[in-house]
Amino acid sequence: MTRVRTGVRVLGAVLAAALGVSLAGCSATGGKRAEDARKQAAAEGRAAVTTPRWTFAMVTHSGAGDTFWDIVQSGAKQAAVKDNINFLYANSDEAQQQAQLVDSYIDKKVDGLIVTLAKPEAMKAVVAKAVKAGIPVITVNSGAEQSKAYGALTHIGQDETIAGEAVGDELDERGRRKALCVVHEQGNVGHEQRCAGAKKTFGGTMENLYVDGTNMPDVQASIEAKLQTDTSIDAVVTLGAPFADAAVQAGQSAGSKAEVDTFDLNAKVATALKDGKLGFAVDQQPYLQGYEAVDLLWLYRYNADVLGGGRPVLTGPQIITGADAAKLKDFAERGTR
């Protein structure tokens, strides 16, 4: 199994190379003028294009207070400013209500839709309705397997199984033998895929612990009780950044020495990685998911462009450790990582 390691330095080199190519492709004066104009427009909150002011709506399965989706929105809003887009956002962790929200945007005849497919069967009919109405749809974050079949242009996110496999490999390299995978949203296919992927590559044993992600005290109490009951657990894997701190607190209360690792990154996770309270995090770059979804819808409306060639556009995973966290902490604090 090929290990997925942090791509921070590699990503920087790729971006630098890409920037060099783009600058080489235009005259020194023309390129500088265009870049200066773009920067000034962004600083003033103005669009960098003169295309029509289309309306794009994003509807996710996010629950209340999940910082991950704040970062997704941050990316989407930044791209919307650049692309002269009127951006709308709605969310519900109840699948049927999420579908109803999508349906309401179809009735409003938005120019593009961005949806998550955490519970794909509940979303199938409404996505088909949008496609039939001529509204282009891009799926993000969850539902990569169903996206194309449902008629979406493309899917943007990480492959959850591959991300889980990366976690299993990392746990092996850290010498862990018994792990707990904390599932905070039952029925979310992406969460199940993460735990299943980790079990596949992990040389030790892994057990799923189902908790109520809408009740953080309950999350902490459930993890604490499990760690007190089974002292052989030496790793706890949470599936979202907000739950990592609860797991750390639970471990301390239980007197457990189990390492806490997590999916997703935010400012608090970056600090905890730097301070050694967390072992590693799996970053799927939520800012990029929001930004690219809006930008690709704009490209489709403007130029009929589609990326992916029928396959998902991957934004992760990257394994982030304490050594990497210092570089990303400032980005996380401003809400872009």
Side-chain angles (χ1 to χ4, degrees), residues 93-227:
D93 55 3
E94 296 292 335
Q96 289 304 127
Q97 189 172 349
Q98 185 192 3
Q100 290 169 8
L101 289 168
V102 174
D103 199 41
S104 71
Y105 284 131
I106 295 172
D107 290 341
K108 291 178 182 177
K109 299 181 180 180
V110 296
D111 300 297
L113 273 166
I114 302 160
V115 300
T116 60
L117 302 178
K119 297 172 182 175
E121 282 304 312
M123 298 293 293
K124 184 176 182 179
V126 76
V127 171
K129 180 179 177 180
V131 173
K132 186 176 181 181
I135 300 174
V137 178
I138 286 180
T139 60
V140 297
N141 181 259
S142 52
E145 294 79 5
Q146 295 82 12
S147 178
K148 184 178 180 181
Y150 285 11
L153 297 176
T154 194
H155 178 83
I156 303 170
Q158 73 178 2
D159 184 300
E160 302 292 18
T161 299
I162 292 174
E165 291 172 354
V167 168
D169 287 340
E170 187 69 20
L171 291 173
D172 279 340
E173 197 155 299
R174 290 166 176 267
R176 303 300 161 183
R177 301 308 308 156
K178 190 168 187 179
L180 196 65
C181 194
V182 182
V183 183
H184 61 267
E185 184 183 346
Q186 293 194 46
N188 185 318
V189 293
H191 290 181
E192 297 292 345
Q193 288 168 342
R194 290 177 181 183
C195 293
K199 287 179 184 178
K200 180 180 177 182
T201 57
F202 182 37
T205 60
M206 177 173 282
E207 177 184 349
N208 289 5
L209 176 67
Y210 293 89
V211 298
D212 179 4
T214 64
N215 185 339
M216 201 61 77
D218 178 71
V219 172
Q220 182 173 327
S222 297
I223 298 172
E224 181 180 339
K226 186 64 179 179
L227 292 175

Side-chain angles (χ1 to χ4, degrees), residues 16 21-22 70 94 114 136 170 177 201 208 241 244-245 274 276 307-308 329 331:
V21 171
S22 66
D70 294 339
E94 296 292 335
I114 302 160
E170 187 69 20
R177 301 308 308 156
T201 57
N208 289 5
D245 185 59
K274 184 173 176 291
L307 286 185
K329 186 171 179 292
F331 303 148

Side-chain angles (χ1 to χ4, degrees), residues 1 7 9 17 23 36 42 86 90 106 110 112 115 166 210 219 226 262 274 295 311 326:
M1 175 61 62
R9 286 189 294 272
L23 290 177
D36 288 346
N86 177 35
I106 295 172
V110 296
V115 300
Y210 293 89
V219 172
K226 186 64 179 179
T262 190
K274 184 173 176 291
D295 213 32
R311 296 179 179 272

Side-chain angles (χ1 to χ4, degrees), residues 19 23 26-44 46-48:
L19 181 59
L23 290 177
C26 55
S27 70
T29 55
K32 186 176 186 305
R33 287 196 196 101
E35 179 65 10
D36 288 346
R38 184 194 66 77
K39 288 181 178 178
Q40 183 176 351
E44 295 174 359
R46 294 187 290 106

Side-chain angles (χ1 to χ4, degrees), residues 248-270:
V248 170
Q249 297 298 323
Q252 292 173 348
S253 298
S256 171
K257 294 183 179 179
E259 176 182 281
V260 176
D261 308 302
T262 190
F263 280 79
D264 303 332
L265 184 72
N266 62 14
K268 200 166 188 177
V269 167

